[in-house]
Amino acid sequence: MTPLDHLLLLSALTAVFTLAAGNIRSAGWIATLLYAAQGLALVKMWGMGYGPEVADSSISFQLLGQTMHWRFDSLSWFFALITVGAGFFSSWFASGGWADHYRAQGNSLRLFHSALALNVFSMLVLLASGDLLSLFIGWELVSWASFLIMGLASTRAMGYAMRYLTYAIAGAMAILMGIVMVHAQTGSFEFAALAAAVPGMSNGTLWLLLLLFGGGFGVKMALVPVHLWQAKAYAETPGPGAAFLGAISSRMGLFALILVIIQLVGIGRLVGMSIPYTFLDARDLLAWVAVFTMIFPTYIALRQHDARRLLAWHGVGQTGYMLLGVVIMDDLGSAGGLMHVFNYATYQAMLFMSVSAIMYRTGTADLNQLGGLVTRMPLTFIAMLVGIIGLAGLPPMNGFVSKWLIYRSLVAEGMPLLFVGAVIGTLGTILSVYKLIHNSFLGQLRLEHAKVEEAPWSMTLPMLSLAAIVFLTGYFPGVVLDWISALQASVGLPVLAHHLGGVHFAQGGLDMIWINSLLIAGIAIGALIFYSTGRSQRVHQLDNYAGGHFLSADVRYQYSDNFYPGLLHLIGPWYRKSFRWAESALVSLTDALSLAMQGLYRQVQPSIYLLITVVIALSWVNIR
Amino acid sequence: MSWQELLLELTLMPLLAFVIGLAMVLMMRRIAAQIQRRVGPPLLQPIYDIVKLYSKQTQISHGFIHELGIMMAVGGYIAAEALLPVPGMDGLADKGGLITLIYFLMVPTLGMALGVGQCANPNGSIGISRALTAMLAYDIPFVIVVFGVAFHYQTTNLAEIAAIQQAHGVSGWGMMEMPLLALAALFALQGMMGKQPFEVYIAPAEIATGPMVEMSGKFMGGLFVMQSFQYYTAGVLYTILFLGGGENWLTFLPKIFAVVAIPMTIAMLFPRFRTEDLVRLMWKWPVMAGLLGLAFVMN
Amino acid sequence: MNNLILLVVLPLITAFLLPVIDRFSTLAARWSGPLVLLITTFIGASAWLQLGTGAVSLELGGFRPPLGIVLYVDQLALLFAIAVSFGTLLLWPYGNRGGLRQQTLTLLLAGSGSGLALSGDLFNIYVFYELVAVVSYGLAVSLRTPAAFAAAIRYLIISGFGAALSLAGIALIYDATGTLNLAQLAQLAPEKLNDLQGLSAFVLLLIGIGVKAELFPVNTWVPEIYATAPKRVSALLAGLVSKLAVVVILRLLVLIFPQPEAHTLLLVLGILGVLTGELAAWRARDLPRVLAYSSIGQLGIVFIAFSVPGEAGVFAGLAMALHHLLIKPALFLLAERWDGSLAGLTGAAKASPLGAALFVLFSLSLLGIPPLPGFWAKLLVLTSLAQMGAALYYTGAVVIMLGMVLEANYLFRIIARMYQKAPSTGTPPGHGRLDLAISSMLGAGLIAAVFLLAPLADRLQGIAAQTVDVNQYIEAVNPVPTRNPI
Amino acid sequence: MKDIKKIEIIQRPPPPEPARRTNPLARVFDELVRFCQSRSMFMLHYCTGCGAIELPPAMTSRFDMERLGIQPMVTPRQADILLVTGYVSVKTLKRIILTYEQMPSPKYVIGICSCTVNGGMYWQSYATAKVLKDYIPVDVYIAGCMPRPEAVISGLRALMEDIRTGRGDAWKKYYQNYDFYLGNQQRLFGEKWQTPTDVIAEAHHYGMMTDQTLGEHTDLLEQNEVPLDALRTRLKARTE
């Protein structure tokens, strides 16, 4: 039994346990412990976070002359760490009060916990894949596990999950096509065989492979233009499930993309594949897809008034940063993109959890029906505050470091338009996360929420732990960068030289220890100045300047709906819903074709039809 | 550099920034008075205002976040000053360069936005909504400029950017080498400083000074302090990027005051743009100029 | 080995004796059918063990081919003969559903089906094929509803037309070669049938036999029949009968018509079958029709696979066909009480949790989700197509994948509906115990196959190798070299 | 009308002596603060009547208030002086009181025009509150109909002088004699009268409670009051 076997076995055990006993009260806690045990199994493979070790699994089998095997390297380890971590925190969150609440609503806790465990398990299997065939198997397992967790909540959720499924199957088919093509070219499903065959492939073949694999993996990552499925499906997933999916699920696409396109095909080939009649090559294409993925979903998020949808749309947008960073493929950029995977997982999980906590207490995630909760749920507020600072990429949280790395590498590589695109995405993020926190936690507390309490500790503790992680990895980004440089080495990307506080770089480096200490010192001085003068007097929220108007508790005095009217007045007409239109046109086309085909099968004169068929078939043969 | 020296620098830099910032506030009010043919405030008026505000008996607070917002607003700028190299003092410029500074400057904005949010006053929220929209508007030309400069000098270290320019004399200034970018940056500067015609988020008669609507006493005082830091930061940043930074204080001070004087003068000549017009304007001319300038820089 | 003829004869005789037995003892009549099928299954199984990887031919009445009737027994034929016996045993009208007529017809189907699988002679194939057809008409109308009769009439017309066409095709072949023995034809084909006449004969045969095999243009009877017949019958038709026709087409293709044109025709028809079937299923009104259209699509994939010349194609096609043989009857059995509009299925999982779970399992395998067997079958098809490298074959692969996307959508739309909360007005019915038991058995078989993938794959590959080995066929039958064709 | 006239002016007790600060430095500091306060006055002009027309000239080029450190502000939170310019109707008075209560102290009220002194030409009107200082403490009256900008400026200068010397502490009376002011307000607006500000709590907070702060009128207020506790940050719901 290798360490990898232990990990997979533990994960499978978690799935079996939750399936068998997911309904008992303490199931969530036990599952959480099991995730922690998986984390320990990962720690046993700690070396992979820092060096070029590879752990093989003793499981493998042969079929049709092909061997399927599983192994972990630094790339898998990094993603597995996030996966297990996300599983751990989500399960923790879902253990106490949330579970009772969920059950009281008539849902099956067993189904939820086992879906979560299956997700973790299938992702680990995917991450461990050692050849294209096991990659595809893992891929399908992940797709179906996500479908399960997405669809189990409600009829509406199932509708969105169905949409996901259609996209996912289409993506999987593209991948399968790619794999089959590789097999046709090399006669093998091994990674090494593909890597060896790449230099001999023509650009056309590579383009086809790139589009197939990229398209397939892109569906999971919800890259533009196949991004429509994700946000709604994630938003409707039960709280901790959404936290888990948002944190890591679509990162599997990035993992596979790095594995196949970056590690096996390689950057050299991508740059060499130019698009005729443009200045672009394959890498630029990916980079631009990434930038559009940043911009469009982020600005769709700006218009959402359901907190979960808003976050989920951001999830789509943030994928763009990761992909952009990775496809820049220098040391800074790829480190930034990969670090963003980690950072994003930490704060996105936390944000979804805080929104779930709000829903748990108030029963709604509609931003137009919340407000002023900061005095009632201060711990949840802290979690969300840390989360949005991270999501917006401001210091002192970890989100800043990864975005800084990406920006810095774009400057170093001289990619101005991508840079501007990325900044546009970030600005949109800042706008909408402020709307999120303002409309839920700040502003006027509604009368009906006056008696709301803080969420129970089983929910606040995981959030606060994540907040601590977000802050600490922002303070000491070197910890994460260690893992990432090991990853870069194993994938074949240039390795980023770094230290505990960030990167030392002759042309303007970054030292987060200094930066954060400076910021904290500055705010401390600000506090000193503030508190050194007269005592402040807390006043009631209705003691507020309203142009001389008398406010009373029943007056809704909160500015929430259509939060950015000026901006949307200008850019509102730019939302054309083109992708939605294209999607529904495709569905309508399929519907029409379907009806036509049914007409074909229902025709009333079979004999005439048959005669025609025979004549056509015979003449076809005879013409040839 | 020994730690004592560093500590001294870190203390001096915000202090200097504050004093110079106060002078800039005074200058702004004097310029306004001159244009309107008034006498204008006395020399120490900014100090009077701040002392008065901090010495108010009643300090109306809407909760801890309201207070935290002010601390972040002031503290964020105090911290940011340590990243801005001035003659003789580099501070922490090598620990985080241009990009870090840009992000750093969003911290006070965020703090302010949070604080205003807890006031539960829609005027304040509307103001923040407009301020963030304005940020979206002016930051796009501004990041084009930032990219151009960073790419041109192949560094994001502000001290180095200044040093490179100083090595070539006046003809080596960013303004000479990248005139279009300098122009675009000036445009963005007007927005960043929130001066007319881009001050719709304050709009006193419409939304009662927007974000400041519930700020009284030391809260308002904190914002006055922040304003002086803000003017100083804008002036120094522009000077470093385009006017060769500061070799010594004698040349440095006139430069930063001149930089700040331009938007202030323009401000007094224009009425106010609506939000969407502001965005449209910012996304049109300065972006065009910036992109054109960038094209020259990149080739 | 010689008792293999019992596979054909025993059910046929029993079928005709059944009314007589019924006179004496109803109970005996009711159980004699299953008993006979059990016996034939055992005979087949023991022969399978004896046969190993060899092939033998049995001459009926001691006449040597080409004059005598010959049964050719190789692994492929025997496998399908066993499948027929065992399948009919599973899908037997237990509990006296449909009365004596049903039992007789089912027995006839078993006998003639086995015959079809084992025949080594074009004329016998035609005879058994007609017998199967006639039996299917009878079975299809066993519910005696107007809709069933209307559907059966259409089926009758198309099938009869098809039979006529195949007879014409056989005539053309006989005209060219003077023999109908397959082995002999295999010998003569390269020189005598490699022309327009041969191809025309192939087209006619293909269309004729394709009626049963749900081949694209001649499968318009499928949805209505499957929707109106009892689901047990639909299961028989979709699961067994269509596969028998497929085997016949495979034999013809391998032995007599290895021309590229024939393969291309098959490929094109297969692609059209997948496209039309899957598209039509997308908006089908009820579960049986969905399954019927999906069946058309799946058989289209089988044809696409067979259109790849050589062992790889046969291997992939056989895997697909066997997989479908296992899945579709189970699905139809589950649909027994789930006909009517799809909206009526809301909340069905609550009424029959096991049934719904099985439905999910079969759907997943049908879609080809790893590690279920359906995936490996599809992978084989796709790899063999990709290996061909030609554009049309790539089109085939793309169409298969498109079909899977559609199939995933419509199947899971139904499943999603099943798992919704049941409406307050009337919950959908649960399943009959027998249907559920048989489907569970098939499901267990499916899951067992996951664990036995490697040996199964090897065995199937052996079967495919044997099937494409024309020389072995000729040698096994060893016909008198024809000196003097007419 | 007659009721109002009959209101017995309560004999106001002398303002309590501020705690004497013995530290000379502290006294200098107080002086400095008062000086700054006098030189930086943000005014909220509540333009109720015609007097407001005289303010723009006072602010702009001709007279330029800014040279005295006086700036207009738009919210009571930021303001130091409330300028009530002209007659005050009952409806307006409610807003004036709310605005006054929302201003942070030290705060000063200037009544401009005769109408604020005694009702002026509206002394007969049933809908006008004639004597502003019955409702809120007024520091300076600038009489006239209307007073010219010079008068306004000189009134402001008088106030500046008061502030600098520490005499401008009318705002304390509002806390110390709250019951009196509230009584007058209740007489005009009815017993349900309440502003969203919590004056008594502020008086507590700044230690300006006297025996005149509370009384029968504040009792009445507390009976009718909608609770206006500040929202304290807390984790658990109170068990009330």
Side-chain angles (χ1 to χ4, degrees), chain B residues 29 36-42 45 48-49 51-52 55-60 204 208-209 212-216 220 224, chain D residues 33 35-37 39-40 42 59-61 64 66-67 69 71 74-75 77-80 102 104-106 171 202 206 208:
Chain B
R29 291 173 68 169
Q36 293 166 358
R37 299 200 177 178
R38 289 189 285 115
V39 179
Q45 187 63 44
Y48 299 156
D49 285 347
V51 172
K52 187 247 345 214
S55 65
K56 277 274 182 187
Q57 284 256 342
T58 319
Q59 315 279 8
I60 292 157
T209 63
M212 277 90 82
V213 62
E214 278 293 307
M215 302 290 180
S216 66
M220 194 67 189
F224 271 56
Chain D
V33 165
F35 177 74
C36 289
Q37 282 174 342
R39 293 307 301 263
S40 160
F42 297 167
M59 279 186 279
T60 48
S61 331
D64 188 20
E66 201 186 7
R67 72 200 148 93
Q71 290 188 73
V74 290
T75 91
R77 297 299 191 197
Q78 301 160 354
D80 304 304
Q102 284 184 335
S105 48
W171 57 276
E202 268 180 52
Y206 295 108
M208 290 193 213

Side-chain angles (χ1 to χ4, degrees), chain A residues 147-186:
Chain A
F147 172 71
L148 185 62
I149 200 167
M150 278 175 203
L152 53 81
S154 64
T155 307
R156 194 156 58 136
M158 186 48 111
Y160 295 135
M162 277 306 302
R163 190 186 191 187
Y164 156 70
L165 187 67
T166 312
Y167 276 94
I169 292 284
M173 287 303 107
I175 295 166
L176 186 58
M177 192 74 207
I179 291 176
V180 164
M181 274 183 59
V182 170
H183 182 257
Q185 297 254 334
T186 65

Side-chain angles (χ1 to χ4, degrees), chain A residues 204-429:
Chain A
T205 317
L206 262 186
W207 265 114
L208 202 57
L209 279 182
L210 183 71
L211 289 180
L212 287 171
F213 279 120
F217 300 142
V219 167
K220 187 78 190 165
M221 291 160 78
L223 298 180
V224 168
V226 285
H227 60 290
L228 285 177
W229 62 269
Q230 195 178 69
K232 285 178 180 175
Y234 282 10
E236 293 294 332
T237 308
F244 177 80
L245 289 180
I248 187 65
S249 180
S250 41
R251 272 0 110 212
M252 292 299 125
L254 188 71
F255 162 78
L257 194 89
I258 294 173
L259 184 65
V260 174
I261 293 182
I262 303 217
Q263 188 171 4
L264 301 183
V265 175
I267 174 66
R269 272 320 286 265
L270 286 189
V271 177
M273 292 155 58
S274 61
I275 305 172
Y277 309 113
T278 62
F279 304 112
L280 301 175
D281 57 38
R283 181 177 75 150
D284 296 336
L285 180 73
L286 280 172
W288 278 106
V289 166
V291 166
F292 284 124
T293 308
M294 272 172 224
I295 296 176
F296 294 154
T298 303
Y299 283 83
I300 294 171
L302 193 59
R303 304 223 300 182
Q304 305 299 318
H305 60 83
D306 184 311
R308 295 170 298 167
R309 291 232 181 133
L310 188 144
L311 285 178
W313 273 114
H314 274 299
V316 183
Q318 296 295 309
T319 311
Y321 287 95
M322 303 168 199
L323 182 63
L324 179 64
V326 167
V327 298
I328 300 170
M329 296 197 220
D330 63 349
D331 50 352
L332 281 168
S334 59
L338 289 165
M339 193 184 179
H340 206 63
V341 176
F342 179 88
N343 297 346
Y344 170 78
T346 51
Y347 50 69
Q348 181 78 343
M350 185 164 59
L351 284 170
F352 263 121
M353 284 177 188
S354 56
V355 170
S356 309
I358 294 176
M359 282 189 74
Y360 173 76
R361 283 304 187 200
T362 67
T364 180
D366 187 342
L367 290 175
N368 293 346
Q369 296 179 16
L370 292 167
L373 288 171
V374 59
T375 53
R376 294 294 170 261
M377 307 177 74
L379 299 180
T380 313
F381 170 78
I382 291 172
M384 185 181 271
L385 180 62
V386 171
I388 67 159
I389 295 178
L391 187 61
L394 302 183
M397 303 308 167
N398 59 9
F400 169 68
V401 185
S402 45
K403 282 193 179 170
W404 187 91
L405 287 169
I406 294 171
Y407 290 139
R408 189 65 192 82
S409 78
L410 284 169
V411 172
E413 298 279 308
M415 299 172 166
L417 296 179
L418 296 175
F419 182 87
V420 174
V423 172
I424 291 174
T426 300
L427 292 173
T429 311

